[in-house]
Amino acid sequence: MAATHFPSPTNKNLTHNGVLFVTNNYSAILDKSKAPSEFHLIQDFLASSSIGFALTEPKAISAKAVMQIWSTATYTPGTSNAQPGLTFSYRNDLYEVTPTTVQRALHLGSPTSFTSFFSEAVLREFFTKIGYNGDMTRMGRLVRTKLRQEWNFFFDSIGKCFMNKSSNFDALTQATQNIGYSLIYGSDVNIASMLIDSIGSRITENRETVYFGSFLHLIFTYLCPNVAFQDDCLLPVFQNTPRSFQEYMLKGKQMFQDDVVYPEQVRQLLRQRLPTVYGLDPRTLIQRPVVATPSGSNPSTKPKHVSKHSKPTSDGSQQQSVVKHTRLAKSVRL
C-alpha cells in the first residue's frame, strides 16, 4: 500500500459514496502496549498463530479496491465435488478468488487437508477445561461473557474478525468455537472456504451493504499488487477500543475467582513459536519483552488471472483462458 496516512480505527458503521460498510471483520488489538498484562499471553498466542496476519492487517481499507470486488463479483457456491469461488473484474480482466487465493492473501498457511467441525462433546470438554461459567447443554447457545477475561478476549477477537455478522458478538457461534479450538489443538478448519461462502452470500443478498472489507482489500492487493492507493480513498479498519480490555476485566472479576487455565497445548505452542519469551519456565510461562509479528507474504506465490476475452467453445461451453502466474504488469492508481 503506497499511501502514507492511515485513518484511526473505528467501531462505528461507515458510509462511502452511498454504500454502507458495516461493523464486521474487525482488526484485533495484539499490540501488548495497549493491553493490561493479563492479556499479553493470549495476544502473543494469536499474533504468532496461523490467523495472526488476518487479525491485524490491513492498516486501512481502500474503498475503491473493496468496491471493485463487491460491485462486480459473481459467487459460485461450493458443492460436494467443487470448492466455492468468486470472480470479479478489473480493467477488462477477470480475477478468480478460490480458497487457495484466500489462504495466501490472508497468510493462513497451506494446509493439505481440513478437519470437519468438532463434536459438541469435544468442545464441551474444552470449554469446561477453560472454566466456562454457564449452561452447556446446547453448545450453540454459549456466550463469551461467561468466559474468563482472557478467553473472552480470545474468542471476541476471532468472532469479530471472521464471523458473517455485524452485531450480537457475544454469541459464541459454532464456527468461532471451532476456529478457536483448532488453533490450540493443531487442526485446520477450512476458514478460506467459509469466508468465500460468507462473502458470496452477502454479495448476493445486498450490494449496498459491505461486509468483510479488510479481507476484500487483502484479496484485491494480493491479486493486483501493483495498484497504488491514494490517501483520500482509504477507510479506517474496524477495531475495538483499548477500553474494551477494562470491560473484559470487569466482567471477569464479577464472575471468576480462580486463576486462568491454559491447556498444555497453548504452553507448548508458545514455547515453540516464541522460545525467548516463553521458553524459560514452562510452568509459569515467564515472559520477556519480545513481541511476535505475523509472518510476511510469500512473493513467489502467484495468483490465477483469467482473461475476460475468452472465446466460446464449439459445444457452447465457455472456455476461459487461464494465464497462470501473472499479475498486473504496470503500476496503476486507484
Side-chain angles (χ1 to χ4, degrees), residues 45 50 52 63 76 87 115 128 143 148 163 166 168-169 173 176 201-202 230 248-249 254 296 303 310 316 331:
F45 183 81
S50 60
T76 303
T87 304
T115 183
T128 299
V143 291
R148 271 191 61 96
M163 292 305 99
S166 59
N168 191 25
F169 289 118
T173 66
T176 301
S201 67
R202 289 296 185 180
Q230 301 178 29
Y248 299 137
M249 295 180 73
Q254 291 173 345
S310 54
S331 178

Side-chain angles (χ1 to χ4, degrees), residues 75-329:
Y75 166 53
T76 303
T79 67
S80 57
N81 298 318
Q83 295 180 320
L86 298 167
T87 304
F88 71 92
S89 64
Y90 178 63
R91 297 203 168 189
N92 297 319
D93 288 318
L94 291 180
Y95 289 86
E96 183 180 3
V97 180
T98 67
T100 299
T101 310
V102 175
Q103 286 174 10
R104 293 170 178 171
L106 273 57
H107 299 196
L108 297 175
S110 303
T112 57
S113 62
F114 297 98
T115 183
S116 302
F117 274 10
F118 303 99
S119 69
E120 287 196 355
V122 167
L123 293 172
R124 187 176 292 110
E125 180 181 359
F126 166 69
F127 278 97
T128 299
K129 180 181 296 185
I130 63 174
Y132 184 82
N133 189 15
D135 181 22
M136 289 189 285
T137 304
R138 300 182 66 176
M139 294 299 291
R141 294 189 175 182
L142 269 58
V143 291
R144 60 178 178 77
T145 51
K146 299 290 186 180
L147 289 165
R148 271 191 61 96
Q149 59 202 26
E150 297 86 353
W151 291 110
N152 187 345
F153 165 66
F154 176 80
F155 282 103
D156 194 29
S157 298
I158 293 171
K160 283 183 177 173
C161 184
F162 291 99
M163 292 305 99
N164 185 15
K165 56 167 60 179
S166 59
S167 61
N168 191 25
F169 289 118
D170 283 350
L172 280 171
T173 66
Q174 184 185 31
T176 301
Q177 294 177 38
N178 276 268
I179 292 174
Y181 183 90
S182 69
L183 293 178
I184 295 169
Y185 292 98
S187 301
D188 290 304
V189 173
N190 197 343
I191 296 175
S193 290
M194 190 188 313
L195 288 174
I196 289 179
D197 283 331
S198 295
I199 294 169
S201 67
R202 289 296 185 180
I203 286 175
T204 303
E205 176 184 287
N206 183 1
R207 290 189 189 264
E208 300 301 315
T209 302
V210 175
Y211 284 75
F212 296 101
S214 289
F215 289 167
L216 291 173
H217 175 100
L218 292 174
I219 291 167
F220 184 90
T221 55
Y222 171 73
L223 290 170
C224 307
N226 296 318
V227 177
F229 303 122
Q230 301 178 29
D231 287 343
D232 59 3
C233 76
L234 291 180
L235 299 178
V237 297
F238 294 116
Q239 188 179 76
N240 282 339
T241 66
R243 191 168 159 190
S244 61
F245 288 104
Q246 304 305 321
E247 297 174 1
Y248 299 137
M249 295 180 73
L250 177 62
K251 292 177 181 178
K253 288 179 179 178
Q254 291 173 345
M255 194 174 300
F256 298 94
Q257 301 299 324
D258 296 332
D259 292 337
V260 61
V261 175
Y262 295 114
E264 179 57 28
Q265 285 79 0
V266 172
R267 303 171 184 273
Q268 292 174 356
L269 288 170
L270 282 170
R271 290 198 294 271
Q272 293 169 12
R273 297 169 182 168
L274 305 171
T276 59
V277 184
Y278 296 101
L280 294 177
D281 188 339
R283 295 168 299 172
T284 57
L285 289 174
I286 295 174
Q287 301 183 43
R288 290 178 179 171
V290 177
V291 179
T293 56
S295 59
S297 61
N298 182 356
S300 65
T301 305
K302 310 269 185 175
K304 182 183 291 185
H305 174 206
V306 184
S307 172
K308 188 175 182 180
H309 307 294
S310 54
K311 298 179 181 180
T313 58
S314 58
D315 64 357
S317 64
Q318 185 74 7
Q319 181 180 359
Q320 296 179 319
S321 63
V322 178
V323 184
K324 296 184 178 180
H325 310 311
T326 58
R327 304 189 188 187
L328 293 179

